[in-house]
């Protein structure tokens, strides 16, 4: 398929899961696949969003909700304009994620919720940012899934168990879902 054959239908793909679950890695792999097919793609990485769009917000529930709504607004705006917005953001509260889904539905914008369902034991071994080690050493509190809540999605559009498959397999499953739903 050439890049001129792609009709740009935007969508938001929200990858939720614990820290070090593999959300950003899977999003990066999927972004590459989609770009190779000629799609316009943006990855709204949680750490970058925190630095630039949500600077000054803490990690209490209200600030986390504000962060998720800000990211959801930007993602919907991008998706409404023909971009695949891949959002690897923890978003620990179900009601925050549901508000983002509802916003997309009200605007008629494609939205998929993907739960990267990696057990906390696996995430703590991966510990990409050293958060689990800091929490274990008493240097950090409020770590999602350890001493702060994470509400798993009841019925995500896709559940990826990144500890049982490769990054490429995870991205392929998500790519297949986008195709199945007419979003890629």
């Amino acid at each position: 398929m050439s890049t001129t054959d792609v009709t740009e239908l935007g969508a938001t793909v929200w990858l939720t899961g614990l820290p070090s679950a593999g959300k950003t890695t899977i999003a990066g792999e999927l972004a590459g696949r989609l770009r190779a097919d000629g799609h316009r793609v943006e990855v709204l990485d949680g750490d970058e969003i925190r630095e630039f769009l949500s600077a000054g917000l803490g990690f209490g529930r209200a600030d986390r909700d504000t962060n998720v709504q800000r990211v959801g607004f930007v993602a919907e705006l991008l998706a409404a304009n023909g971009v695949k917005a891949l959002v690897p953001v923890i978003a620990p509260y179900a009601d925050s994620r549901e508000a983002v889904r509802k916003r997309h539905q009200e605007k008629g914008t494609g939205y998929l919720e993907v739960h990267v369902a990696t057990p906390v034991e696996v995430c703590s071994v991966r510990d990409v940012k050293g958060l689990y080690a800091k929490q274990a050493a008493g240097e950090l509190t409020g770590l999602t899934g350890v001493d702060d809540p994470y509400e798993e999605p009841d019925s995500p559009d896709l559940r990826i168990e990144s500890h049982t498959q490769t990054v490429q397999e995870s991205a392929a499953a998500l790519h297949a879902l986008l195709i199945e739903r007419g979003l890629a």
Side-chain angles (χ1 to χ4, degrees), residues 2 15 29 36 56 69 78 80 91 93 96 128 140 155 158 163 176 180:
S2 75
L15 295 97
E29 179 71 19
Q69 296 317 304
L78 288 168
Y93 301 109
S96 292
V128 177
L140 175 73
S155 54
L158 180 65
H163 59 293
E180 176 187 309

Side-chain angles (χ1 to χ4, degrees), residues 9-91:
L9 177 62
T12 295
V13 178
W14 197 292
L15 295 97
T16 180
L18 297 174
S20 296
K23 301 175 299 297
T24 301
T25 305
I26 294 166
E29 179 71 19
L30 178 62
R33 288 172 183 253
L34 291 170
R35 287 182 183 122
D37 287 344
H39 295 279
R40 295 179 348 185
V41 180
E42 290 295 334
V43 177
L44 301 179
D45 179 69
D47 292 333
E48 292 175 1
I49 294 292
R50 280 276 183 180
E51 181 178 352
F52 296 106
L53 185 63
S54 295
L57 291 180
F59 291 90
R61 183 171 182 128
D63 282 355
R64 287 178 186 259
D65 287 342
T66 298
N67 182 57
V68 168
Q69 296 317 304
R70 287 178 183 176
V71 177
F73 172 80
V74 171
E76 195 283 324
L77 187 63
L78 288 168
N81 284 282
V83 176
K84 304 292 186 279
L86 309 182
V87 186
V89 173
I90 295 170

